[in-house]
Amino acid sequence: MRSPEAFDAVQIISIKRDKGTLTPEQIDWTIDAYTRGVIAEEQMAALNMAILLNGMNREEISRWTSAMIASGERMDFSSLTTPDGGRKPTSDKHSTGGVGDKITLPLAPLVAVFGVAVPQLSGRGLGHTGGTLDKLEAIPGWRANLSNEEIMAQLQDVGAVICAAGSGLAPADKKLYALRDVTGTVEAIPLIASSIMSKKIAEGTGSLVLDVKVGSGAFMKDEARARELAETMVALGKDAGVHTVALMTDMSTPLGLTAGNAIEVEESVDVLAGGGPEDVVELTVRLAEEMLAGAGIHDADPAAALKDGRAMDVWNRMIEAQGGDPRAALPVARESEVVYAPADGVLVELDALSVGVAAWRLGAGRARKEDKVQAGAGVRLHAKPGALVRAGEPLMTLLTDTPEKFERAKEALQDAVVIAPEGSRPAHQLIIDRIA
């Protein structure tokens, strides 16, 4: 005979509906019961909405996160060793996503140069935000799915791995996320924070740097809400004993000069070769410094490691270890169309959301998780805010294999650009704040 449940779903829902506080035991039971199917989807949807409307305190969010971690396995990197037999430190980065955000690609091998293991478990894109795995799958032969044994071996040998998260990490989160996605509760900060941090803590990294994007192309458009999310996640990391800091960074303008898959890989390789757009280099180096500091390394010079080829060497080994050919030609879109500057002046705004939606409509992104992406599709930018432009000059090039997509992509870009008189200056600050 099955033992009776410790609580019931209606009781839990009612507590949050009435702005009450759930006990640790109630939270543990809720996540476990939902994972087991005891709490029905409509009941968890009601609880999610109550949390969205009434919030959770720090202790509740921390316990909720712990319960989600406990629903699955935890990775353990304590067996990784340095050449002298010591324990190799681990550090990871998580971005809340944006347009042209290819930072993970140069960042993971760059940090690994300095003897820090980087277990970068990444995801796929949905909507206008790109996915790291989609970008890397543009490289011939590269594979995203690795076993835990393969991850450990690659971290020991190469020092960096970028791959898909296994289904064993925080399975409660996967179920909860799918429900939030269809019930209008994705925006609940306690649920966003616990979703991100449960996976990152279960991943087993010793330190974590969060890149919380703010602006039109970001999940969080409002700076106050982005700050609340950053502070909540930093607190969750600290509660779990993981050294955690967050950078709030601008996503009102796309990062770099590309938004797509193959073209972002191309730009990342440029950065690893000592070139690339200034904003991508700046953010890559700053995040590397934070990751290295979290791992206890304070005298490293990541900018130098980009320029002298050390980071590129690790990149090549990392791609090869996952079956890819880092020297192979990347896919190129069959069709292109140029968008021209409408007037003379200074480009002061280039809306990230508009560019991201255009890239998505061209085939670089997906509307549903099961959709396929075009590796060569996307938007290549020829000017960024601050540039002096002339009417009729190319502003961006649209790329796709399916030319019928051009029209809708151009519709997304109708209000993307603001050109002001010469002498104007864009209001743009890449790194807004640091939260620790």
Side-chain angles (χ1 to χ4, degrees):
M1 184 177 172
R2 192 172 180 177
S3 59
E5 298 292 335
F7 304 98
D8 69 80
V10 175
Q11 173 191 9
I12 301 294
I13 295 165
S14 300
I15 290 169
K16 292 313 296 180
R17 179 199 65 195
D18 298 336
K19 303 182 181 179
T21 301
L22 296 174
T23 67
E25 295 76 19
Q26 288 170 331
I27 290 171
D28 291 348
W29 176 83
T30 297
I31 297 300
D32 178 60
Y34 179 57
T35 306
R36 289 186 286 117
V38 171
I39 294 179
E41 295 292 325
E42 63 269 22
Q43 291 175 316
M44 187 54 101
L47 178 58
N48 285 348
M49 186 60 75
I51 291 169
L52 173 89
L53 296 173
N54 297 324
M56 285 178 143
N57 64 32
R58 176 171 175 170
E59 289 73 24
E60 285 178 293
I61 302 172
S62 184
R63 189 66 176 222
W64 187 275
T65 304
S66 297
M68 294 217 295
I69 295 167
S71 72
E73 65 183 11
R74 290 189 73 154
M75 296 190 73
D76 181 2
F77 299 121
S78 61
S79 63
L80 296 174
T81 56
T82 59
D84 62 3
R87 182 170 169 177
K88 183 181 280 194
T90 53
S91 192
D92 190 14
K93 184 269 300 184
H94 176 82
S95 168
T96 55
V99 180
D101 183 7
K102 72 278 296 172
I103 301 296
T104 293
L105 278 64
L107 179 63
L110 175 59
V111 173
V113 165
F114 299 96
V116 176
V118 184
Q120 183 71 61
L121 305 188
S122 299
R124 302 190 181 279
L126 191 61
H128 77 277
T129 59
T132 298
L133 302 182
D134 299 320
K135 302 180 208 299
L136 285 166
E137 283 180 339
I139 300 172
W142 186 88
R143 61 191 181 98
N145 296 311
L146 302 179
S147 68
N148 287 356
E149 291 74 23
E150 287 174 315
I151 291 171
M152 291 295 290
Q154 188 168 324
L155 287 173
Q156 182 62 56
D157 180 42
V158 179
V161 62
I162 304 173
C163 64
S167 58
L169 292 179
D173 174 64
K174 186 175 182 180
K175 194 175 179 186
L176 262 174
Y177 188 90
L179 181 65
R180 287 164 51 216
D181 198 35
V182 296
T183 56
T185 53
V186 169
E187 291 80 6
I189 284 178
L191 301 180
I192 300 168
S194 58
S195 173
I196 292 169
M197 295 301 291
S198 63
K199 293 192 290 285
K200 286 298 174 185
I201 295 165
E203 179 192 290
T205 186
S207 64
L208 176 64
V209 179
L210 302 163
D211 182 0
V212 180
K213 303 290 188 191
V214 191
S216 73
F219 178 66
M220 288 288 177
K221 321 288 186 195
D222 176 73
E223 188 172 321
R225 280 181 57 76
R227 187 177 299 278
E228 182 186 349
L229 175 61
E231 290 172 347
T232 301
M233 291 194 293
V234 168
L236 286 173
K238 289 179 177 177
D239 288 349
V242 177
H243 180 279
T244 308
V245 300
L247 296 184
M248 290 174 59
T249 66
D250 179 75
M251 188 37 73
S252 58
T253 297
L255 261 171
L257 294 167
T258 56
N261 294 305
I263 55 177
E264 289 195 46
V265 174
E266 177 189 288
E267 188 168 270
S268 299
V269 172
D270 286 344
V271 172
L272 287 159
E278 287 182 15
D279 57 348
V280 177
V281 174
E282 179 186 349
L283 188 52
T284 300
V285 169
R286 180 64 188 276
L287 287 167
E289 290 169 345
E290 292 286 355
M291 288 175 70
L292 291 165
I297 297 172
H298 301 278
D299 56 354
D301 186 352
L306 284 178
K307 287 189 167 60
D308 63 21
R310 284 177 289 164
M312 180 71 89
D313 290 343
V314 178
W315 162 265
N316 289 336
R317 292 176 61 214
M318 180 181 76
I319 297 302
E320 287 169 349
Q322 290 173 242
D325 182 354
R327 294 163 189 84
L330 294 165
V332 177
R334 290 193 292 268
E335 306 288 340
S336 64
E337 187 163 325
V338 178
V339 175
Y340 298 96
D344 294 351
V346 176
L347 179 62
V348 291
E349 287 184 30
L350 180 60
D351 181 61
L353 178 59
S354 301
V355 173
V357 170
W360 171 29
R361 290 180 178 177
L362 289 164
R366 52 172 68 81
R368 300 172 303 167
K369 289 188 177 75
E370 58 270 24
D371 292 347
K372 290 189 175 179
V373 298
Q374 292 183 24
V379 178
R380 192 183 293 277
L381 305 174
H382 303 299
K384 291 286 288 283
L388 189 63
V389 298
R390 297 282 176 238
E393 285 183 351
L395 267 188
M396 57 189 89
T397 299
L398 312 184
L399 304 165
T400 185
D401 291 335
T402 42
E404 61 270 20
K405 294 179 182 290
F406 282 133
E407 208 52 47
R408 289 203 70 230
K410 287 189 288 186
E411 287 173 11
L413 294 167
Q414 282 181 345
D415 299 315
V417 171
V418 175
I419 296 174
E422 289 190 32
S424 303
R425 298 176 70 87
H428 180 67
Q429 181 184 3
L430 179 60
I431 299 173
I432 298 164
D433 202 1
R434 179 183 186 271
I435 295 164

